[in-house]
């Protein structure tokens, strides 16, 4: 089975997730600065989630670039990743509308952690079903420092949110900044 | 007429259905565990419907893979399937927000049953318009046990929901689990 | 300029329009038959609009099939058509929620009429910019009876809605039924 | 990396933005002329934003047409543009629902200005990463009068909205009209 429809479907779902997230930025009643300021936390959480979804789309793009054919297992591992990403608008809205309260900020980390695990499962699924053909991908992933540090940082942020939501927020921002540099690992190994 | 636009349109519609369904997970007012727990039935029905739509996308993917050209009849049979799938977010939200009450749980089964019939019509449409070219598909479908058992299970669940909604729910979960294994029938017959 | 992106963009917009329309089917508070019955007019108007959008997608599909390259004028004529189609969910919801009251039912016809005009402009745009290359399309369209009768029927339905909304509704259903047969004109002329 | 997925993703996001914007046209309670008239400002701002998004899609289409491969920087510059475009439905709804009040009308200009800057960054990104290969694009852009005048007009409209929102509105309409002619610069230079 070809990968074209898998890419098109994933692009569609991520494009919709990234765009319906803006519906949480509800048009306020008033037309003064006050009503705009009240939207600031929702706006900030929107920016953060937009960047995260952009990172996932970018890395997904890079990873599938190395793949030629997909198995049934890869299709489901991909749907599993999309499931967790589809929950991002909900936790983004909940965190923003509650001004980064403890529980929503912690749950935001849970969804990011589950998405990171789903991405890792998808990666392994591609490598294992390829029967050694994606040794390049396996090699690139082997030294994957960012992919190992991110879940650790989420795992720290999830309980930390109950102690200080700003620390949790700072960890989420840190991970996003770390990933903003696109996934050059694969590019580099292919170039070799 | 080529099948590319049919696939792209179907992917688009299914991607949007699967994603707007998450809008039924409405961001709660409070930020405590209580408000999160109240969302649990909506979340569970979301998970179930996400899996069902994933199954439809997967099987649709497999079935169209065997097709080269589509007729006007196939276009409309496909739109008919998308119509019933487009009602899934509505019944999912209604069932979840009413904590699996009898009527919504029964209606959920009606929509699943109609979608299953629409899928069966689409399948027959492809086989009949192909003038024997898709004998492989016909052969694969001939022994189609899962495709025959699923509508029966929905037909049992629809009245059963008024007696015990948990029995109906268990039947929906059973069908989903049964289908989670992708449609290997077609893969197998092609391999022969 | 190629037509691939034009087709993909149009498919995307029509897929989203057809799917967000279901959001007007708002999940009711109660879980009894009563709450379901109240949704019947919205559901019926949803079915009608779903068929109309399916017809537009099908015919758009057929028409662009004959085209190889698109000009700037065609791009804008296409966006103009998409603009009127994008208003379909609004008039569908308004008509359904007001149980086919006179003004919403009339406005529904206005949007259908404008969409029909936009389709006709797009068709002429494709024929004129092709410099005679689409003589086949021009020939097919020349005898276009359905394309000439539909706007007339909308033009009758728009004022008729203020006298009898059921007459207007019957006219909308008639046009939809008339078009359900896909646009065989183009298929036939190409076959010759 | 190929440009296909970049185009598909951008098309998807712009198609969704343009379509969910219509959700701000909320179905009114009543079914009389009065309720329709109250929607007029929201409708007018919808028409304006639909044209702006159409312009962006058209020009994006033209610009990427000259590109063969995309770098990581181009991917992010493109996401940056999509971010600002994703805020268009919010400012459109806010401006329309407040009948073109000063602050929302000014903020509308801010989002347009940021989108224009993002487009300019994306353009430069494509030119610089191409290592001179897109000298044609650079040449076309060099004489880019419309691209230089638009941000100036937005920059005038942003403070002007607090003095006269109609002047600001007129400036937005002027820019849209100016751009409605598709980006012939690139077509012309390629033709040479």
């Amino acid at each position: 089975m070809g990968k074209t429809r898998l890419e098109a479907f994933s692009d569609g779902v991520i494009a919709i997730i990234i765009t319906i997230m803006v519906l949480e930025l509800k048009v306020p009643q008033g037309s003064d600065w006050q009503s705009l300021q009240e939207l600031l936390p929702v706006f900030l959480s929107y920016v953060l989630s937009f960047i995260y979804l952009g990172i996932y789309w970018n890395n997904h793009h890079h990873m599938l670039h190395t793949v030629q054919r997909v198995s049934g297992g890869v299709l489901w591992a991909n749907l599993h990743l999309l499931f967790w990403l589809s929950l991002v608008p909900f936790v983004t809205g909940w965190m923003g509308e509650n001004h980064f309260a403890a529980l929503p900020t912690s749950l935001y980390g849970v969804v990011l952690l589950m998405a990171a695990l789903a991405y890792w499962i998808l990666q392994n699924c591609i490598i294992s079903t390829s029967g050694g053909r994606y040794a390049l991908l396996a090699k690139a992933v082997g030294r994957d420092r960012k992919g190992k540090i991110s879940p650790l940082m989420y795992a720290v942020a999830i309980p930390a949110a109950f102690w200080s939501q700003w620390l949790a927020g700072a960890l989420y921002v840190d991970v996003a900044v770390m990933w903003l540099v696109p996934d050059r690992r694969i590019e580099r190994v292919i170039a070799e």
Side-chain angles (χ1 to χ4, degrees), chain A:
Chain A
M1 199 182 314
K3 70 172 176 176
T4 319
R5 262 190 96 177
L6 183 73
E7 283 189 335
F9 186 74
S10 308
D11 281 1
V13 171
I14 297 176
I16 299 156
I17 293 172
I18 223 171
T19 322
I20 63 170
M21 210 155 56
V22 87
L23 294 175
E24 290 300 330
L25 259 183
K26 287 184 190 103
V27 172
Q29 291 290 327
S31 64
D32 48 3
W33 284 100
Q34 179 67 24
S35 9
L36 204 58
Q37 271 168 33
E38 280 165 16
L39 284 176
L40 192 67
V42 182
F43 179 72
L44 290 180
S45 62
Y46 174 60
V47 173
L48 182 63
S49 295
F50 191 99
I51 292 172
Y52 265 110
L53 286 166
I55 290 166
Y56 270 104
W57 179 70
N58 257 354
N59 289 347
H60 191 265
H61 191 134
H62 274 82
M63 183 165 62
L64 281 185
H65 195 63
T66 64
V67 174
Q68 256 126 30
R69 302 191 76 68
V70 294
S71 66
V74 169
L75 284 180
W76 278 105
N78 190 58
L79 274 167
H80 179 232
L81 171 61
L82 294 177
F83 173 77
W84 289 107
L85 294 181
S86 82
L87 293 176
V88 168
F90 170 76
V91 287
T92 302
W94 203 36
M95 184 171 73
E97 283 170 30
N98 288 290
H99 297 210
F100 303 94
L103 181 61
T105 306
S106 178
L107 193 71
Y108 188 81
V110 171
V111 169
L112 289 183
L113 178 60
M114 296 309 291
L117 291 180
Y119 189 85
W120 177 83
I121 291 171
L122 174 59
Q123 213 171 34
N124 283 17
C125 224
I126 289 173
I127 292 170
S128 74
T129 61
S130 68
R133 261 179 299 162
Y134 301 121
L136 278 178
L137 181 58
K139 196 177 155 195
V141 165
R143 334 181 191 133
D144 177 13
R145 272 185 212 149
K146 285 200 273 186
K148 279 164 193 154
I149 294 169
S150 309
L152 280 179
M153 285 171 86
Y154 301 141
V156 170
I158 292 166
F162 291 96
W163 177 61
S164 156
Q165 58 263 61
W166 304 116
L167 175 60
L171 285 166
Y172 302 148
V173 171
D174 281 357
V175 175
V177 168
M178 184 177 83
W179 279 102
L180 264 182
V181 184
D183 202 331
R184 296 204 192 280
R185 290 170 297 158
I186 294 168
E187 281 180 8
R188 206 185 314 126
V189 177
I190 287 171
E192 288 171 18

